């Protein structure tokens, strides 16, 4: 079995119904983590999607184990073992974690559904897992009574089937064989539960000191006595088991409450309201704060959570019922007006009236519970997502929301914003805090403290704390904030001095100060001081906030204390106590989300490493047993620590305690260099986060410790704070202190000629420089910076780059940087030479004639540098793949461009140019021979786009490269070749046929590849026919078995399903050498499913083009739908997906975007011809228009028959114009913003709600910026989809690309679609905060990497799209498309910050922030939105209006 198989089995075992099985599996998993530590870490670092899915499932199962409710000894042990496993697995970066979408709870409609769910999911489990006979008998009795109620009297065998009613037989047939075995004895059992006369208790049952088990049991008893109707028997059957099995009790609670509220007396309904309020008021009150968070708080918090879940379920029931009734009434009206008839009209209306009464009763109950009370109770329980959901609802009702795109925008009170900021502070959402601050009328000191603390600006926080201390000199809370700032800024000595001063000045809070002092003492290795603080930490009063922050460090100090005393029993006990203290908050947080649980998992990660260190010490004290740097056991341990650190979130708060512990370990063994390296890692984190003061402090510590690379980090720090001369001088001084024989005479000469005065003394040069002769990193950075600042001539820089390559000949980055340098020189030379020709009056110069410049000036023609540029790019690619997606496309672009120039205007007679041409062909042949095949696969689209190149020699080599890709990766390449093989341009079609024939010849007869080449053309022909098949008149499906019997007979095929994952190249995880790359396989047939079958029916979708939804069955048994689209050129969509894949790679590399998990949702697009193709079906999605239309129908704002004529009348009155005033006065008030309701109803659980809303904000912002850059239009409500499981915004249909919308009769004047409803979905703060910040980050990433993006977009110019090349279809000659070139020019300008293509005056290049704000302002402008309305035909008015 593979490691992945072991982990999958562990996930299944951890979800087993038996507690003992779960415990045994957890113990075995812990052993597996110990035995295969390196393999587990490699799995996480590798970032393979399938592997990360397994890891994510495993983490969720372990978190569930930490929340085990069993009170038995085994249950308590299971919690600790699951915590051990989480620590052993490590604090896996949340960016790698895949959120599992949980099923939404829905109250069952029928009694039989409820009985089935009770037995199948709860009672059978409780019966099997029962730890004593009382529980087992109670479960058996409940099953027995429920089976009787449903008509199940005996087993349905031949002799006794008549004894079971039809209803009973139907229910029995629904149970799985496994469940039937468990419950079969209950069909003939005769258990009896004595009837108890439940005296109805007056008033609320709940008391803060009550246990959850006791409270819910008594409340369910009370509710059962009030229950009426058919369900009262179901509830009565379960009255015994609810005392013992909490999951069953929790499951039944919403059903009981709903029954009493819908059918019970007003007094019974009032008692439910009082019970709920008693729980919430106790939680919301100030005095109960200690109880909620204290030792007994675990029980209190579970009671509160049960009430929250109950309210979620009831609210969801009301929303679903309202929507169901409204939609059915709308459909009925439509059918009536169209001449249709509905049966049982009177009964239907009566049922609806009854349901509306019940709905009104439940809504009345929910309205009786104040939103503010709910919000405050949630906040005190640290359920911040829930607090935000309730309080936003309260603020929206009171003040509206901030929405400039709507007819009016709300204004908020400062008190409301202050509470919202506290909630966002708890959510650790700095972007949201900034948005709230922008909406505030006046900023307070507390607001600034929260914002800067969450952003990690500790220097600013310290300044604000000093200011607040002037007003409250003796405030314990403020002094705790100051100490926290000093700790986070690494001012540990200052922190100790501050603590000692506070102990003397405010002795009544001595425990608080000592707890804070412990954190600094162990980090400094001041063990005597740590003991002194520990001794005082158990006395005096406590500041709760400081205790929460410092209690874990107190536990660490006690563990260190026990380790110093060599008391192994005490060490184990203190570690167990620390884990136990983490379990309660970890369980609560884990039920919410992994991100919320992450701080506790970081602590478990650290405890695990502390245990490892203790095991290495044996029975000795760490003060007495230093380790040697070459000790094999110690080396193995530290290597493991380094790998584990790589898996964690690259943030300051997550890594600081881990690095502090490692510094302590290294310092104990006098390993100064290793301790300094930890300081350097910390300095880098600080620098990347923009905390330059702390970074400088860490660099000084690293230098004092003798870290060998401190000079590099200091130089980068100086460069980041815009002291470029000082940064270069730092590197220059470092290089001058290195051995002369390593640097070489050229470098020494260059260094001595550049004299830069150092403002500060340089870092001391340690022996480490001589021990490490590889100075290439320092030299490369120095060379890049002097090139950037223009302090050297190009010849000097060339020689420096050459020396970098000599020093480290296998370093990919060195060669890539050299190639970029030469490429920049080439671009500059070409621009100058062409400008000079234009200035001399010749006019725009054909690129070929630039060779004559050689005679006029001493400068060589620009193309003379091409061989050098290509060789350097090729050398870099030969040594690694980190820059693959930039280097290889650029290399091909330069080659293709020169190939065209060589053919034009008789350039082939130019002898120097001919030599360059021959050299380039030689270089490309060498690349074909030496580069690993998977690298070529990443540029297959670019290669295919040039198979009709004007240069015959280039075409021959392109065909050879494509053929080699087809032979190596036929599965992926054949799908990508499909469209060109069916091209309407004869030359392209013939070239593709030649390539396919050549690849087929190269495969062995009878081999799998040969079979593929035989099957594929036939499959493509069938799929093309299927795309264009009209179907029977008015038919909604095509029967594949009859209409396409030959396609059905072809199954199964050895061809992979063209899903996104199967067509995307996954690069090797590590920076390997060429030997490893050559053996790397990015795809494996076993990994990706092949086509095993096709479903009998293909659904015909109701749209003009009649696309078909075809379901393929994979070899893994999973059905995967695809959309077969006729009359649509999908090549643009395919290229857009490639562009999006490039953007996703860039977003994943930038820390700011990676932390926010920014990405664009992609899916596979496979063009089959130039006017049809297949699109991977995106599951669980719905169009924005359909979502909003349903909400408006539910709200009574839209009538299918009346609304369109009403809007048409307004439009006709205005004679096809829509002025801004009319839009605000007439149209927008008809359709107020309602999109926020979709998130509330679809994601009723608050953690899922806020996660979905954040995902919507992130994906909408990224799409908005990317869509604007590439000129994406036609973004109506059917082309924007929403994922109902994640909240992701997904765009489809990219036919209106490259500013095509600007060429319409009524141009699209908005930069992206951002209507009032889309703004409404972002929350009450509108686009302020999260949306704006993500727009800025996305624009920054796009603008920083504009060259790489333009290289990908360049392929569009040479792959002629149907609408651009109608006049050139038959020529077969490659033509440069003027439309494409103009679009590329617009994109280039946008990437430079120029506002292009919107209804605004042209601008100068703007900053990233300025560009984002300007685009958003244009998108929400009522003037622009009014013009967009004019652009829509009256027949499609609804699309746009509802979209607003």
């Amino acid at each position: 079995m593979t490691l992945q198989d072991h982990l999958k089995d562990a996930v299944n075992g951890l979800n087993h119904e038996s507690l003992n099985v779960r415990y045994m599996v957890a113990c075995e998993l812990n052993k597996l983590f110990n035995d295969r530590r390196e393999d587990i870490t490699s799995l996480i670092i590798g970032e393979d999607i399938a592997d990360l899915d397994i890891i994510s499932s495993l983490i969720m199962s372990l978190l569930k184990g930490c929340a085990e409710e069993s009170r038995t000894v085994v249950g308590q042990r299971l919690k600790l073992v699951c915590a051990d496993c989480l620590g052993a697995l490590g604090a896996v970066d949340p960016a790698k974690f895949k959120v599992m979408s949980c099923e939404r709870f829905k109250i069952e409609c029928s009694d039989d559904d409820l009985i089935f769910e009770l037995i199948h999911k709860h009672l059978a489990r409780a019966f099997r897992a029962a730890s004593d006979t009382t529980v087992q008998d109670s479960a058996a009795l409940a099953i027995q009574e429920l089976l009787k109620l449903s008509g199940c009297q005996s087993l349905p065998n031949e002799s006794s089937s008549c004894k079971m009613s039809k209803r009973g037989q139907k229910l029995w047939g629904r149970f799985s064989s496994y469940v039937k075995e468990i419950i079969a004895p209950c069909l003939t059992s005769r258990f009896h539960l004595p009837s108890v006369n439940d005296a109805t208790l007056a008033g609320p049952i709940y008391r803060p000191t009550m246990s959850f088990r006791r409270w819910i049991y008594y409340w369910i008893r009370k509710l059962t006595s009030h229950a009426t109707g058919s369900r009262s028997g179901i509830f009565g059957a379960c009255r015994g088991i609810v005392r013992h099995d909490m999951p069953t009790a929790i499951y039944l609670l919403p059903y009981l409450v709903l029954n009493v509220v819908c059918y019970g007396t007003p007094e019974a309904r009032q008692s439910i309201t009082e019970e709920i309020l008693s729980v919430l008021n106790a939680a919301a009150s100030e005095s109960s704060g200690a109880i909620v968070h204290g030792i007994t708080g675990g029980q209190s918090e579970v009671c509160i959570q049960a009430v929250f879940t109950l309210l979620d379920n009831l609210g969801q029931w009301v929303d679903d019922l309202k929507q169901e009734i409204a939609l059915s009434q709308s459909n009925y009206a439509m059918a009536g007006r169209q001449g249709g008839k509905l049966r049982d009209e009177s009964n239907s209306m009566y049922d609806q009236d009854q349901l509306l009464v019940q709905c009104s009763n439940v809504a009345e109950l929910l309205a009786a519970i104040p939103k503010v009370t709910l919000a405050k109770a949630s906040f005190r329980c640290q359920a911040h997502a829930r607090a935000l959901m309730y309080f936003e609802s309260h603020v929206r009702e009171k003040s509206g929301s901030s929405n400039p795109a709507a007819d009016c925008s709300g204004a908020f009170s400062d008190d409301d914003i202050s509470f919202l900021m506290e909630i966002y502070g708890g959510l650790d959402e700095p972007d949201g805090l900034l948005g709230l601050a922008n909406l505030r009328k006046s900023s307070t000191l507390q607001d600034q403290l929260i914002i800067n603390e969450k952003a990690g600006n500790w220097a600013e926080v310290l300044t604000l704390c000093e200011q607040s201390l002037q007003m409250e000199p003796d405030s314990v809370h403020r002094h705790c904030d100051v100490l926290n700032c000093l700790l986070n800024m690494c001012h540990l000595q200052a922190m100790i001095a501050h603590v000692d001063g506070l102990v003397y000045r405010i002795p009544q809070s001595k425990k608080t100060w000592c707890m804070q002092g412990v954190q600094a003492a162990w980090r400094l290795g001041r063990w005597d001081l740590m003991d002194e603080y520990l001794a005082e930490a158990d006395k005096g009063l406590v500041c709760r906030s400081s205790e929460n922050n410092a209690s874990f460090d107190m536990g660490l100090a006690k563990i260190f204390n026990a380790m110093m005393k060599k008391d192994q029993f005490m060490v184990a006990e203190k570690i167990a106590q620390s884990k136990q203290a983490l379990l309660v908050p970890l369980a609560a947080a884990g039920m919410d989300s992994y991100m919320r649980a992450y701080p506790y998992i970081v602590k478990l990660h650290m405890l695990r490493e502390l245990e490892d260190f203790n095991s290495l010490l044996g029975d000795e004290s760490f003060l007495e047993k230093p380790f040697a740097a070459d000790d094999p056991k110690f080396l193995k341990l530290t290597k493991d620590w380094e790998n584990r650190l790589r898996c964690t979130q690259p943030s300051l708060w997550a890594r600081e305690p881990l690095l502090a512990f490692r510094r302590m370990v290294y310092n104990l063994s006098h390993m100064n260099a290793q301790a300094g390296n930890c300081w350097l890692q910390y300095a880098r984190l600080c620098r990347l986060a923009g905390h330059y003061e702390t970074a400088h402090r860490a660099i000084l510590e690293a230098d004092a410790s003798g870290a060998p690379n401190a000079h590099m980090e200091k130089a980068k720090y100086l460069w980041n704070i815009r002291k470029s001369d000082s940064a270069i001088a730092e590197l220059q001084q470092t290089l001058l202190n290195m051995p002369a024989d390593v640097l070489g005479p050229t470098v020494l000469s260059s260094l001595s000629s550049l004299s830069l005065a150092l403002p500060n003394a340089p870092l001391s040069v340690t022996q480490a420089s001589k021990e490490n002769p590889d100075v290439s990193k320092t030299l490369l950075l120095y060379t890049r910076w002097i090139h950037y600042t223009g302090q050297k001539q190009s010849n000097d820089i060339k020689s420096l780059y050459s020396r970098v390559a000599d020093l480290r000949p296998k370093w990919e980055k060195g060669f890539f940087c050299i190639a970029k340098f030469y490429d920049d020189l080439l671009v500059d030379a070409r621009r100058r030479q062409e400008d000079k020709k234009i200035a001399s009056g010749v006019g725009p110069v054909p690129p070929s004639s630039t060779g004559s410049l050689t005679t006029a000036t001493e400068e060589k023609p620009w193309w003379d540098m091409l061989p050098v540029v290509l060789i350097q790019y090729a050398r870099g690619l030969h040594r690694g793949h980190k820059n693959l997606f930039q280097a290889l496309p650029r290399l091909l672009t330069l080659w293709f461009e020169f190939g065209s120039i060589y053919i034009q205007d008789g350039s082939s007679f130019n002898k120097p140019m001919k030599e360059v041409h021959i050299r380039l062909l030689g270089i490309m042949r060498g690349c074909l021979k030496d580069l690993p095949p998977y690298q070529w696969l990443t540029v297959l689209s670019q290669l295919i786009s040039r198979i009709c190149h004007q240069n015959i020699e280039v075409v021959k080599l392109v065909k050879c490269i494509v053929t080699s890709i087809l032979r190596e990766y036929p599965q992926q390449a054949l799908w990508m070749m499909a469209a060109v093989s069916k091209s309407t341009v004869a030359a392209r079609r013939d070239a593709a046929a030649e390539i396919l024939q050549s690849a087929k010849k190269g495969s062995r007869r009878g081999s799998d590849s040969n079979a593929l080449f035989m099957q594929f053309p036939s499959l493509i022909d069938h799929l093309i026919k299927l795309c264009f098949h009209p179907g029977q008149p008015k038919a909604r499906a095509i029967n594949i078995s009859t209409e396409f019997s030959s396609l059905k007979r072809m199954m199964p095929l050895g061809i992979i399903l063209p899903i996104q994952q199967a067509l995307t190249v996954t690069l090797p995880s590590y920076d390997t050498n060429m030997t490893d790359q050559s053996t790397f396989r990015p795809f494996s047939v076993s990994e990706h499913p092949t086509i095993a079958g096709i479903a009998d029916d293909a659904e015909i979708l109701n749209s003009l083009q009649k696309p078909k939804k075809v379901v393929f069955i994979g070899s893994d048994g999973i059905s995967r739908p695809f959309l077969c689209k006729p009359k649509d050129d999908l090549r643009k969509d395919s290229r857009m997906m490639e562009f999006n894949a490039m953007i996703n790679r860039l977003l994943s590399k930038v820390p700011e975007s990676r932390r926010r998990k920014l990405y664009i949702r992609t899916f596979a697009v496979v063009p089959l011809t130039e006017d049809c193709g297949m699109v991977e079906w995106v599951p669980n999605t719905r169009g924005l228009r359909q979502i909003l239309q349903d909400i408006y129908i539910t709200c009574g704002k839209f009538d299918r028959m009346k609304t369109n004529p009403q809007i048409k009348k307004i439009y006709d009155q205005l004679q096809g114009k829509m002025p801004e005033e009319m839009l605000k006065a007439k149209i927008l008030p008809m359709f107020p913003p309602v999109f926020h309701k979709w998130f509330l109803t679809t994601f009723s659980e608050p953690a899922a709600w806020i996660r979905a809303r954040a995902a919507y904000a992130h994906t909408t912002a990224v799409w908005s910026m990317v869509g604007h850059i590439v000129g994406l239009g036609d973004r109506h409500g059917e082309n924007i989809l929403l994922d109902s499981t994640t909240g992701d915004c997904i765009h489809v249909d990219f036919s209106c690309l490259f500013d095509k919308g600007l060429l319409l009769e009524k141009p699209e004047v908005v930069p992206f679609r951002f209507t009032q409803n889309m703004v409404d979905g972002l929350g009450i703060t509108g686009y302020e905060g999260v949306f704006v910040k993500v727009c800025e980050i996305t624009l920054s990433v796009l603008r920083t990497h504009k060259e790489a993006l333009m290289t990908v977009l360049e392929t569009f110019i040479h792959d002629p799209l149907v609408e651009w090349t109608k006049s050139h279809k038959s020529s077969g000659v490659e033509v440069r498309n003027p439309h494409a070139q103009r679009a590329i020019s617009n994109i280039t300008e946008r990437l430079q910050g120029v506002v292009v293509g919107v209804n605004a005056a042209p601008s100068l290049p703007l900053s990233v922030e300025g560009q984002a704000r300007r685009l958003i302002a244009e998108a929400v402008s009522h003037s622009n939105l009014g013009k967009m309305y004019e652009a829509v035909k009256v027949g499609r008015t609804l699309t746009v209006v509802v979209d607003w």
Side-chain angles (χ1 to χ4, degrees), residues 532-788:
E532 184 184 324
Y533 288 146
L534 272 177
E536 295 291 335
D538 295 326
K539 303 175 186 176
L541 300 173
V542 181
C543 169
R544 193 195 310 159
S545 65
S546 75
E547 184 177 19
N548 287 341
N549 292 331
S551 57
F552 179 71
D553 281 75
M554 283 281 294
L556 287 180
K558 289 173 182 175
I559 296 166
F560 291 140
N561 193 280
M563 288 169 70
M564 286 190 289
K565 293 175 180 175
K566 299 187 261 189
D567 188 341
Q568 292 300 321
F569 177 78
M570 184 65 75
V571 170
E573 185 184 352
K574 293 300 178 187
I575 289 174
Q577 285 176 2
S578 290
K579 288 178 184 174
Q580 193 70 46
L582 293 171
L583 278 176
V584 173
L586 176 64
M591 289 165 66
D592 187 353
S593 67
Y594 179 63
M595 193 66 228
R596 187 176 153 192
Y598 193 66
Y600 305 108
I601 295 174
V602 171
K603 292 179 170 71
L604 289 172
H605 179 122
M606 189 172 180
L607 286 172
R608 180 53 177 240
E609 295 188 355
L610 190 53
E611 285 180 284
D612 292 340
F613 181 54
N614 186 54
S615 299
L616 202 62
L617 287 170
D619 294 328
E620 296 184 61
S621 165
F622 58 73
L623 295 177
E624 300 168 359
K625 186 179 179 181
F627 291 97
D630 56 354
D631 185 327
K633 288 185 179 178
F634 187 74
L635 272 175
K636 185 180 178 183
L637 180 68
T638 52
K639 183 184 176 185
D640 177 55
W641 284 357
E642 281 303 310
N643 287 333
R644 282 165 61 84
L645 190 72
R646 287 175 65 189
C647 299
T648 61
Q649 187 184 63
S651 60
L652 278 171
W653 69 265
R655 290 190 175 179
E656 187 279 330
L658 300 174
L659 290 168
F661 169 63
R662 291 168 195 194
R663 288 198 308 266
M664 184 208 79
V665 171
Y666 290 131
N667 283 328
L668 287 168
S669 296
H670 307 293
M671 297 182 189
N672 295 335
Q674 287 86 339
N677 188 47
C678 290
W679 277 115
L680 283 182
Q681 289 184 59
Y682 185 62
R684 183 173 183 275
L685 286 170
C686 293
R687 177 172 57 79
L688 292 174
H691 308 320
Y692 297 119
E693 186 176 334
T694 311
H696 188 223
R697 173 88 184 85
I699 290 166
L700 292 174
E701 288 284 355
D703 180 46
S705 300
N709 294 317
H711 61 276
M712 287 280 284
E713 190 56 44
K714 184 177 182 183
K716 289 176 182 178
Y717 154 74
L718 290 168
W719 184 267
N720 280 15
I721 61 171
R722 302 186 184 281
K723 293 185 178 180
S724 54
D725 283 354
S726 302
I728 293 171
E730 183 67 41
L731 292 181
Q732 182 186 9
Q733 191 66 48
T734 305
L735 287 167
L736 284 170
N737 286 323
M738 287 181 175
D741 56 332
V742 174
L743 293 172
T746 310
V747 175
L748 285 172
S749 171
S750 176
L751 288 168
S752 58
S753 66
L754 183 67
S755 176
L756 289 170
L758 291 176
N760 303 312
L763 293 173
S764 59
V765 181
T766 62
Q767 188 64 24
S769 303
K770 296 176 184 177
E771 291 168 3
N772 180 13
D774 184 11
V775 294
S776 51
K777 280 188 179 180
T778 308
L779 185 56
L780 177 63
L781 192 60
Y782 170 76
T783 308
R784 287 172 63 195
W785 284 353
I786 60 170
H787 171 217
Y788 181 82

